[in-house]
Amino acid sequence: MFNIGDRIVYPMHGAGIIENVEIKEILGEKRQYFIMKMPIGDMKVMVPVDNVDDVGVREIIDREEMKEVVDVLKGNRTAMPQNWNRRFRLNMDRIKSGDIYEIAAVVRNLMLLDIEKGLSTGERKMLNDAKQMLVSEMVLVCDLNLEEVEELISDAISQTAEEEKEEKELEEAQTE
């Protein structure tokens, strides 16, 4: 069970700090909720205490694991379906898992795709949502501010994009 002051991740919302535990009546039913303050946008989220296991609430990762997340961002793009609809569903499943490594891979893949040929409106929203989840956890783990974390992500993706471009140019030169 979690306590006030714990840093947790609520899948599909991101990471935050439990500020309080309150009993709220919603639709005539009284339930206990964690009141979680998000590090981005001064938002608060109510998490039903009795549902934390069902929805996959977990503690934030540690600094060592965060290095692995940055490595995922710097890693090669994973194969994705060319079909927009299939790609969208696959990425949504990865995000819903709440797994920080899967979310980082979605952010990397979509950012690289955006650089290469642009994103549809749906994929752009998905990228923004996934990036917000990733950033919220990175801010808490790394003790950095929003701008520093976004720069860290951007630098990692730029490095990957440059490496992919160089590989492509080398392949093209070899086939000539």
Side-chain angles (χ1 to χ4, degrees), residues 134-146:
L134 180 64
V135 166
S136 68
E137 190 159 358
M138 291 178 82
V139 163
L140 292 177
V141 173
C142 302
D143 291 323
L144 299 172
N145 66 37
L146 178 66

Side-chain angles (χ1 to χ4, degrees), residues 95-153:
I95 293 168
K96 283 181 180 176
S97 75
D99 183 313
I100 188 80
Y101 303 106
E102 292 292 322
I103 294 169
V106 169
V107 168
R108 176 199 61 220
N109 292 341
L110 289 177
M111 286 182 77
L112 290 170
L113 187 61
D114 191 28
I115 291 167
E116 185 181 308
K117 64 179 186 181
L119 296 175
S120 67
T121 304
E123 283 185 309
R124 181 160 315 285
K125 181 179 180 345
M126 177 181 278
L127 171 59
N128 290 337
D129 291 347
K131 196 172 175 187
Q132 181 174 334
M133 287 180 244
L134 180 64
V135 166
S136 68
E137 190 159 358
M138 291 178 82
V139 163
L140 292 177
V141 173
C142 302
D143 291 323
L144 299 172
N145 66 37
L146 178 66
E147 293 78 23
E148 292 168 325
V149 168
E150 289 197 348
E151 186 176 330
L152 183 92
I153 293 170

Side-chain angles (χ1 to χ4, degrees), residues 11-167:
M12 297 302 293
H13 295 292
I17 301 170
I18 299 173
E19 281 193 330
N20 204 354
V21 180
E22 297 178 6
I23 295 174
K24 299 271 187 187
E25 184 174 331
I26 298 177
L27 300 174
E29 187 180 347
K30 287 187 177 184
R31 293 173 78 181
Q32 197 172 25
Y33 291 88
F34 289 125
I35 307 302
M36 185 171 92
K37 184 177 185 320
M38 309 297 281
I40 301 169
D42 208 28
M43 186 170 72
K44 293 193 181 194
V45 175
M46 293 185 350
V47 183
V49 171
D50 54 357
N51 280 18
V52 293
D53 292 332
D54 297 339
V55 297
V57 172
R58 63 173 173 80
E59 291 182 5
I60 64 170
I61 62 174
D62 61 30
R63 284 181 181 266
E64 211 47 49
E65 291 169 303
M66 189 53 73
K67 290 177 186 173
E68 294 173 34
V69 169
V70 173
D71 288 343
V72 169
L73 291 170
K74 291 179 181 176
N76 291 332
R77 180 186 332 209
T78 35
M80 292 188 300
Q82 291 298 309
N83 177 287
W84 177 90
N85 201 19
R86 285 192 192 116
R87 186 171 60 235
F88 187 87
R89 280 197 310 259
L90 176 71
N91 284 332
M92 185 55 73
D93 288 344
R94 294 175 93 177
I95 293 168
K96 283 181 180 176
S97 75
D99 183 313
I100 188 80
Y101 303 106
E102 292 292 322
I103 294 169
V106 169
V107 168
R108 176 199 61 220
N109 292 341
L110 289 177
M111 286 182 77
L112 290 170
L113 187 61
D114 191 28
I115 291 167
E116 185 181 308
K117 64 179 186 181
L119 296 175
S120 67
T121 304
E123 283 185 309
R124 181 160 315 285
K125 181 179 180 345
M126 177 181 278
L127 171 59
N128 290 337
D129 291 347
K131 196 172 175 187
Q132 181 174 334
M133 287 180 244
L134 180 64
V135 166
S136 68
E137 190 159 358
M138 291 178 82
V139 163
L140 292 177
V141 173
C142 302
D143 291 323
L144 299 172
N145 66 37
L146 178 66
E147 293 78 23
E148 292 168 325
V149 168
E150 289 197 348
E151 186 176 330
L152 183 92
I153 293 170
S154 183
D155 290 349
I157 300 301
S158 295
Q159 179 181 336
T160 302
E162 189 59 37
E163 288 170 6
E164 282 188 3
K165 182 181 169 194
E166 289 171 7
E167 284 176 24

